[in-house]
Each structure stands twice: as C-alpha cells, then as structure tokens.
Amino acid sequence: MDQTEKAQYIAWIRELPQQLRALVDGLDEEQLTTHFQEGEWNVAQNVHHLADTNMNVFMRIKMALTEDRPTIPSFDQDKWAVTAEAGGIPIESSLVLLDGLQERWASLAENLSDEQLARSVVSPLYGESTIGDMLRGYSRHGLNHLDQIRETLAAQG
C-alpha cells in the first residue's frame, strides 16, 4: 500500500462520522426505522451496524498489533442488526461512539509502519488478512453504507 492510498483510506475513516451525520440530520423516527427497501436494513440499523463493525475492526487491528496472528471471532451482522439496542435506542449513541472511534482509528492508522500494515489476523470464516487489508476494506465499508443509506432515503419517494 503506498502512502497516497493509505492517506485516502485514513481520510475516509476520519470523515465517516461527519458524512453520516449529514445524511441522518433531521430525519424523523419513521425515516430512521422504516424498511423502505425489501431485504435491506433501515437507516438506524445501518448507523448502529457501522458502530458495531468499526468497533470490531479496531479491536482486530489492535489484536494484530499486539499478538502473533491471532484468531479473531466472527459475528453474524444480520443477527447483530436486530438485537434490542440496534432498533430501540436513538442513533445518537452510535454517532457519538463513531466520533471517538474513527478518530482513534485514523490516528492509529497514520502511525502504522509498512511492517505493521503487514501484520495479520486469522478469521475462521475468511482466512488470513493483514492490517492493510482491514484498513482498505473497512474504510470502503463505511462508504458503502453511506451509499446504502442514501438509497434507502431515496426509496422513501
């Protein structure tokens, strides 16, 4: 991963909370919790999912930095999306969490050496991945969910 690429991924990580807030600012409860697209999560579930997954990836990166090829637990994101708090509490709690989490993640990523980016974790489901892979994949993951929220809001008609 070259430095330009790394800087872009870090920018996406750092900017996610502001972009997310801009999308959801002023939405009412119905707009946040209605499933406007069959088989897709509602806006609130997407927001809570971003907090869930980004907490997980941050922990995975920390594990990769401090352990030798740790095996990481997997989780079923669809089951996590329907737990009580994912549909029953205001999204502000996840937005606040993402504010701090993304800042910590971006700060950590800025200081990673090439050697550290090559450290890895092992997933029972997906095999081995490096910190660089996680940085690349999960920075784009946030962008994908911003797009999903936009599509959900557009489907409201």
Side-chain angles (χ1 to χ4, degrees):
M1 164 183 315
D2 67 35
Q3 291 304 309
T4 302
E5 220 182 346
K6 180 181 171 186
Q8 181 61 69
Y9 301 144
I10 293 167
W12 290 340
I13 291 165
R14 183 168 272 126
E15 294 164 2
L16 179 66
Q18 297 82 12
Q19 292 176 333
L20 190 55
R21 283 184 184 278
L23 276 177
V24 301
D25 187 45
L27 297 181
D28 62 32
E29 190 66 20
E30 181 179 351
Q31 291 170 305
L32 290 169
T33 60
T34 300
H35 293 272
F36 292 101
Q37 294 181 295
E38 186 70 30
E40 294 289 336
W41 293 338
N42 62 39
V43 173
Q45 286 173 310
N46 271 283
V47 172
H48 294 309
H49 168 75
L50 283 167
D52 288 344
T53 58
N54 290 5
M55 280 189 293
N56 270 285
V57 75
F58 184 73
M59 296 292 291
R60 290 170 177 175
I61 290 170
K62 299 273 279 194
M63 289 173 71
L65 288 169
T66 60
E67 301 174 32
D68 185 32
R69 292 184 70 243
T71 299
I72 56 171
S74 57
F75 66 98
D76 185 327
Q77 66 180 14
D78 290 321
K79 288 181 180 176
W80 281 41
V82 295
T83 58
E85 93 296 345
I89 63 170
I91 62 170
E92 184 61 23
S93 60
S94 286
L95 292 171
V96 168
L97 191 152
L98 282 166
D99 286 337
L101 180 61
Q102 298 302 101
E103 183 58 33
R104 286 193 62 192
W105 185 13
S107 178
L108 176 63
E110 285 172 339
N111 292 290
L112 293 174
S113 67
D114 289 343
E115 181 180 273
Q116 289 172 314
L117 287 167
R119 292 185 61 85
S120 63
V121 297
V122 179
S123 165
L125 295 177
Y126 303 110
E128 190 165 352
S129 61
T130 67
I131 292 175
D133 295 334
M134 290 184 279
L135 180 62
R136 180 182 303 106
Y138 282 93
S139 63
R140 290 181 175 154
H141 176 256
L143 298 177
N144 292 339
H145 279 281
L146 292 173
D147 287 342
Q148 187 175 356
I149 291 169
R150 286 184 194 98
E151 290 170 9
T152 299
L153 294 172
Q156 291 181 33

